[in-house]
C-alpha cells in the first residue's frame, strides 16, 4: 500500500486535538474542545439518586459527578469516542460497564477520590468477566473494553497483564459488529434489532473502529506480534473513512500512523526481518510524510506515536545483527548501515523522551502526585494512556542499546543518551502513586548499572519478536545480573543445584546473595571492583555500576526503594 494516500481537506474537519506540539518554553495540557463531553450544568433536570451502586459498593452522587468531570478534563481528550453525557441515570441504566469504567479510570489518580478505585476494582473486574463470558452485542460494552485497554487495571506482574487478550476481544467484537463497514448488517439469528448500530452516530462508530485498530497495532508492536489487521484490503478500507468530514483530523492522523506500522511490519515479516538500508529509509520517509500531510492537526500524542513506530522499525535491524557479528562489521557497508540505524534510533528516542519529560511537568512534584492541573500542584501526565509510557520505556531501551554497542558514538551523543534515560527514570520514579511506574524506574535502574559503553553486554537472546525483541533482550540482561535467570519461577532450566554452582559464592549459600554476585563477566573473589564510571551527570543516577554489592554499598539499596515488596520485580509496563 502506498503511503501517499489522499489527505482529507483540513477545512472539512472539525479538529478536536489534544494539544499542539509546543514551541520553545511553552507547553499546555488544555485541550481545544468545541463542546464538553460532560457538563454537570447541562445534564437533564431529573431526580438523581443520592448514591450509585455496583454490587455491594456504594458511591455517593457528588463523588460520581466529580469523577465524570475529571474524566472530561483529563481522559476524554485521549479517547474522544463516547457520546456526550446528557443524563447519568440513562448511562447508568443502559451501559453500566461504561458508566463504572469511567468512574474507575478517573478515580485512580484523583486528588480527593483516589480511594474509590480500590473500592470499585474487584466489583468492576467481576462485571468485566461477566461481559466477556458472553457475546458482546451492546456498542457501549465494546467501548468500555476499549477504555480498559487504554487505561488497564493495575497489575503486580507483567505476566498477569491481560491487555493483549482484551485487545483481541475488542478487535474481534468490533469486526463481528461490522464496525469496519459503512453500513450496518442484518444478521438474522445473531443479533437482535435492539442492538443495531443504526442508533449509533456514524461518527462515533467510525472513531471507535479507528481506536480498536490503533490499540491492536500499539500492543502488537509492544509485544512483538503481527498486527491483527494487516491485509492490504483491510488497510485500504481504513483510508476510506478518512473522507468523513465529521472525524477530527487528529484521529485520522493517529490511525494513519498505526496503519503505516501494520503495513511496514507485514513487509518486514515477509522479508524475514532483514531489511536493506534503502527499504528502511523509504519507510522512514513514509512516516515523515504522515506528519507533513496532517501538520495542521499534529499534536504531542501524534508525535509520540510516530516516534514510537520509528523506534520499532529501526530496532529490527539491531536484532537481526547479533552481538557476535558487531566486531566484524567495522569498515564494511554493514557497519555503515548499523551506524545509520543507531543514529536514527538515537534521534527518535531523544525526541520522544524529551516530550514525555516536558509534559511530565516540573521535577519538584509532591511526594504523592495526583492528576490535576499543574497550577494546583498536579501531574496531568498520569491521565495519559499506558501506551505513551510503554513507548518512553522502549525509547530508553533503544538508548541503552546505543550506549552498549555503538563504538563510533561521539561523547556528546553518549551524554545526550544518558541524560534522556536519566530524565525518564526520574519521571517514572516521581510518580509514586503508581506502582507500575516505580517498577519501570527500578528496571531502568538495573539496566543502567549494566551498561558500560562498548562492552556489548546486552546479548541477543530473543530474535522472534520483531522490534520488541530489543526490549526482551534488555530485560533478559537485567534478569541475568540479578540472578533471576536461575529462578524456577522465571526459567524452565533453573534448578537449586544450578543456582548453587553458578552464582552462590563458596563462603555463602544465602539466596539473598544471588543478586549480589558475579554476572556473565567472571569476577575474582574479594571486594568488588567497580567499572569505570561515566562522565558526571546532572543527578545521582547509578551509571556503569555492574556489581549489586557495590551498588548497595554506595547507598542505592533495593530495600530502600518504595514498594519494597516489589522492588526487585523485573517486570515493567
Amino acid at each position: 500500500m502506498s503511503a501517499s494516500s489522499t489527505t482529507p481537506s483540513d477545512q472539512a474537519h472539525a479538529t478536536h486535538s489534544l494539544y499542539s506540539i509546543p514551541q520553545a518554553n511553552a507547553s499546555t495540557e488544555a485541550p481545544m474542545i468545541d463542546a464538553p463531553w460532560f457538563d454537570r450544568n447541562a445534564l437533564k433536570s431529573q431526580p438523581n439518586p443520592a448514591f450509585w451502586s455496583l454490587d455491594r459498593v456504594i458511591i455517593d452522587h457528588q463523588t460520581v459527578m466529580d469523577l465524570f468531570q475529571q474524566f472530561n478534563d483529563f481522559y476524554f481528550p485521549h479517547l474522544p469516542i463516547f457520546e456526550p453525557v446528557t443524563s447519568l441515570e440513562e448511562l447508568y441504566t443502559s451501559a453500566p460497564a461504561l458508566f463504572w469504567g469511567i468512574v474507575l479510570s478517573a478515580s485512580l489518580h484523583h486528588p480527593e477520590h483516589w480511594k474509590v478505585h480500590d473500592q470499585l476494582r474487584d466489583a468492576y473486574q467481576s462485571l468485566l468477566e461477566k461481559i466477556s463470558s458472553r457475546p458482546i452485542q451492546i456498542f457501549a460494552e465494546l467501548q468500555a473494553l476499549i477504555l480498559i485497554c487504554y487505561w488497564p487495571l493495575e497489575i503486580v506482574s507483567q505476566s498477569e497483564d491481560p491487555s493483549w487478550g482484551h485487545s483481541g476481544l475488542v478487535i474481534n467484537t468490533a469486526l463481528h459488529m461490522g464496525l469496519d463497514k459503512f453500513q450496518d448488517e442484518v444478521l438474522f439469528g445473531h443479533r437482535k434489532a435492539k442492538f443495531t448500530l443504526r442508533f449509533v452516530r456514524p461518527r462515533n462508530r467510525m472513531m471507535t473502529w479507528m481506536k480498536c485498530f490503533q490499540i491492536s497495532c500499539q500492543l502488537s508492536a509492544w509485544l512483538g506480534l503481527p498486527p491483527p489487521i494487516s491485509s492490504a484490503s483491510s488497510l485500504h478500507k481504513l483510508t476510506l473513512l478518512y473522507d468523513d468530514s465529521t472525524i477530527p483530523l487528529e484521529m485520522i492522523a493517529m490511525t494513519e500512523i498505526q496503519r503505516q506500522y501494520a503495513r511496514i511490519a507485514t513487509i518486514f515479516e515477509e522479508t524475514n526481518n532483514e531489511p536493506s538500508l534503502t527499504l528502511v529509509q523509504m519507510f522512514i520517509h513514509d512516516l515523515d510524510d504522515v506528519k507533513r500531510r496532517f501538520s495542521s492537526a499534529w499534536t504531542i500524542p501524534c508525535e509520540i506515536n510516530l516516534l514510537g513506530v520509528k523506534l520499532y522499525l529501526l530496532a529490527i535491524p539491531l536484532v537481526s545483527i547479533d552481538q557476535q557479528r558487531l566486531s566484524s562489521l567495522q569498515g564494511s557497508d554493514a557497519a555503515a548501515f548499523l551506524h545509520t540505524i543507531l543514529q536514527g534510533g538515537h534521534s527518535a528516542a531523544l525526541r520522544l523522551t524529551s516530550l514525555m519529560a516536558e509534559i511530565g511537568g516540573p521535577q519538584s512534584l509532591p511526594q504523592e502526585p495526583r492528576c490535576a492541573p499543574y497550577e494546583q500542584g498536579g501531574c496531568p501526565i498520569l491521565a495519559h494512556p499506558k501506551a505513551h509510557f510503554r513507548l518512553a520505556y522502549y525509547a530508553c531501551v533503544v538508548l541503552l542499546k546505543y550506549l552498549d554497542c555503538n563504538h563510533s558514538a561521539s561523547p556528546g551523543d553518549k551524554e545526550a543518551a544518558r541524560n534522556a534515560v536519566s530524565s525518564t527514570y526520574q519521571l517514572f520514579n516521581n510518580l509514586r502513586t503508581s506502582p507500575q511506574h516505580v517498577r519501570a524506574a527500578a528496571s531502568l535502574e538495573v539496566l543502567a548499572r549494566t551498561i558500560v559503553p562498548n562492552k556489548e553486554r546486552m546479548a541477543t537472546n530473543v530474535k522472534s519478536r520483531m522490534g520488541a525483541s530489543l526490549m526482551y533482550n534488555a530485560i533478559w540482561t537485567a534478569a541475568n545480573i540479578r540472578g533471576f535467570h536461575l529462578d524456577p519461577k522465571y526459567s524452565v532450566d533453573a534448578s537449586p543445584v544450578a543456582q548453587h554452582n553458578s552464582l552462590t559464592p563458596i563462603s555463602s549459600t544465602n539466596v539473598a546473595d544471588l543478586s549480589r554476585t558475579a554476572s556473565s563477566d567472571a569476577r575474582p573473589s574479594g571486594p568488588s571492583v567497580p567499572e569505570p564510571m561515566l562522565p558526571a551527570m546532572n543527578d545521582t543516577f547509578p551509571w556503569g555500576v555492574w556489581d549489586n554489592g557495590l551498588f548497595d554499598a554506595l547507598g542505592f539499596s533495593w530495600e530502600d526503594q518504595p514498594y519494597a515488596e516489589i522492588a526487585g520485580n523485573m517486570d515493567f509496563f
Side-chain angles (χ1 to χ4, degrees):
M1 296 295 300
S2 171
S4 57
S5 302
T6 303
T7 304
S9 170
D10 292 357
Q11 289 77 16
H13 290 254
T15 58
H16 188 180
S17 59
L18 252 174
Y19 35 87
S20 298
I21 293 292
Q23 302 299 321
N25 301 322
S27 68
T28 175
E29 280 283 329
M32 300 300 294
I33 301 178
D34 298 329
W37 163 76
F38 174 81
D39 184 354
R40 66 177 70 204
N41 298 319
L43 296 177
K44 291 181 180 178
S45 56
Q46 60 184 30
N48 285 303
F51 299 94
W52 305 85
S53 64
L54 175 62
D55 199 3
R56 298 182 180 180
V57 181
I58 299 175
I59 310 296
D60 68 87
H61 176 68
Q62 186 57 48
T63 297
V64 169
M65 292 280 282
D66 292 345
L67 292 174
F68 266 78
Q69 189 64 55
Q70 177 86 345
F71 192 89
N72 177 83
D73 296 344
F74 297 101
Y75 294 82
F76 179 79
H78 295 284
L79 192 60
I81 64 175
F82 310 112
E83 295 277 359
V85 178
T86 57
S87 167
L88 288 178
E89 180 70 35
E90 290 178 3
L91 183 62
Y92 173 81
T93 303
S94 62
L98 183 56
F99 177 94
W100 289 111
I102 291 169
V103 171
L104 184 76
S105 300
S107 64
L108 179 58
H109 299 294
H110 193 277
E112 299 177 16
H113 307 308
W114 52 271
K115 291 184 179 180
V116 170
H117 187 273
D118 291 336
Q119 297 171 10
L120 276 176
R121 180 190 170 99
D122 291 343
Y124 189 71
Q125 203 153 15
S126 297
L127 179 60
L128 281 182
E129 291 170 359
K130 181 179 179 181
I131 290 172
S132 58
S133 66
R134 56 171 171 75
I136 299 173
Q137 298 182 334
I138 302 175
F139 183 72
E141 289 183 350
L142 171 64
Q143 291 188 319
L145 288 172
I146 295 173
L147 190 151
I148 291 300
C149 288
Y150 247 62
W151 296 281
L153 299 176
E154 291 274 348
I155 55 173
V156 175
S157 170
Q158 180 72 11
S159 60
E160 299 176 6
D161 186 1
S163 296
W164 182 245
H166 288 164
S167 171
L169 183 59
V170 162
I171 202 76
N172 286 301
T173 298
L175 287 171
H176 191 53
M177 283 185 175
L179 295 193
D180 59 325
K181 299 176 175 61
F182 285 96
Q183 293 183 343
D184 193 17
E185 293 178 314
V186 177
L187 301 174
F188 189 81
H190 284 266
R191 185 171 53 180
K192 295 181 179 179
K194 65 180 180 180
F195 298 134
T196 179
L197 295 177
R198 294 174 185 174
F199 300 126
V200 180
R201 287 195 300 173
R203 175 181 185 271
N204 292 78
R205 188 177 74 181
M206 288 185 286
M207 290 173 64
T208 298
W209 170 239
M210 288 181 173
K211 281 300 178 185
C212 291
F213 174 76
Q214 291 173 29
I215 291 168
S216 68
C217 288
Q218 290 165 347
L219 279 172
S220 67
W222 170 249
L223 297 173
L225 299 170
I229 305 295
S230 59
S231 69
S233 60
S234 296
L235 296 181
H236 175 67
K237 282 167 63 178
L238 272 170
T239 65
L240 302 180
L241 304 179
Y242 296 177
D243 292 330
D244 191 289
S245 61
T246 64
I247 300 177
L249 271 177
E250 186 204 18
M251 176 70 74
I252 297 175
M254 295 278 280
T255 304
E256 180 62 13
I257 292 169
Q258 299 305 327
R259 194 185 76 89
Q260 290 297 329
Y261 171 76
R263 178 181 71 91
I264 294 169
T266 302
I267 294 174
F268 275 167
E269 192 171 21
E270 293 173 351
T271 58
N272 201 25
N273 291 337
E274 291 194 7
S276 65
L277 180 58
T278 302
L279 193 62
V280 171
Q281 290 175 332
M282 181 183 73
F283 289 152
I284 293 295
H285 178 271
D286 289 348
L287 290 170
D288 288 336
D289 190 56
V290 176
K291 182 175 180 178
R292 179 189 60 79
R293 289 155 50 202
F294 294 97
S295 59
S296 65
W298 203 252
T299 60
I300 286 181
C302 290
E303 184 78 358
I304 290 173
N305 280 274
L306 181 74
L307 293 169
V309 168
K310 284 185 177 182
L311 289 175
Y312 284 123
L313 158 65
L314 293 167
I316 292 176
L318 294 182
V319 174
S320 64
I321 302 177
D322 58 37
Q323 300 286 357
Q324 287 71 29
R325 293 171 55 197
L326 289 177
S327 58
S328 64
L329 296 179
Q330 298 302 314
S332 67
D333 292 339
F337 176 45
L338 182 64
H339 175 77
T340 302
I341 295 299
L342 286 170
Q343 289 302 128
H346 179 269
S347 176
L350 289 182
R351 173 64 173 155
L352 198 156
T353 53
S354 174
L355 283 175
M356 290 295 289
E358 182 177 356
I359 60 180
Q363 292 193 0
S364 56
L365 292 173
Q367 187 172 2
E368 294 187 353
R370 299 292 176 183
C371 184
Y374 293 124
E375 312 82 65
Q376 300 176 14
C379 189
I381 198 174
L382 286 167
H384 276 239
K386 191 172 182 177
H388 291 183
F389 297 103
R390 286 173 175 146
L391 290 176
Y393 186 94
Y394 185 76
C396 289
V397 171
V398 171
L399 291 172
L400 291 171
K401 178 71 173 179
Y402 178 90
L403 291 170
D404 185 54
C405 69
N406 191 358
H407 297 265
S408 61
S410 68
D413 284 344
K414 291 180 181 178
E415 184 69 11
R418 290 192 292 268
N419 287 336
V421 175
S422 296
S423 67
T424 305
Y425 165 84
Q426 192 63 49
L427 170 64
F428 290 165
N429 211 34
N430 283 344
L431 304 178
R432 300 300 181 90
T433 54
S434 175
Q436 64 179 354
H437 288 97
V438 176
R439 285 202 309 272
S443 62
L444 281 179
E445 195 172 308
V446 174
L447 287 170
R449 293 184 234 165
T450 306
I451 302 303
V452 176
N454 306 332
K455 291 296 181 72
E456 299 174 13
R457 286 172 169 163
M458 204 177 289
T460 305
N461 296 315
V462 180
K463 292 186 177 182
S464 61
R465 292 299 184 105
M466 296 189 287
S469 299
L470 200 64
M471 176 192 64
Y472 289 110
N473 289 326
I475 297 304
W476 261 111
T477 302
N480 286 345
I481 291 173
R482 305 210 69 229
F484 286 149
H485 65 302
L486 295 177
D487 189 328
K489 292 188 299 183
Y490 298 92
S491 173
V492 295
D493 299 325
S495 69
V497 175
Q499 290 187 31
H500 175 75
N501 291 340
S502 300
L503 288 178
T504 305
I506 297 176
S507 60
S508 173
T509 57
N510 191 326
V511 177
D513 288 336
L514 290 177
S515 64
R516 300 171 180 265
T517 53
S519 61
S520 56
D521 285 355
R523 287 188 176 277
S525 59
S528 301
V529 180
E531 296 282 354
M533 296 296 288
L534 298 182
M537 302 284 292
N538 295 329
D539 50 34
T540 57
F541 196 87
W543 285 93
V545 183
W546 178 264
D547 184 79
N548 275 24
L550 172 64
F551 188 83
D552 292 342
L554 290 176
F556 300 101
S557 172
W558 281 99
E559 289 72 20
D560 295 335
Q561 297 296 322
Y563 304 99
E565 70 279 5
I566 59 172
N569 190 338
M570 283 314 306
D571 288 320
F572 40 96
F573 285 118

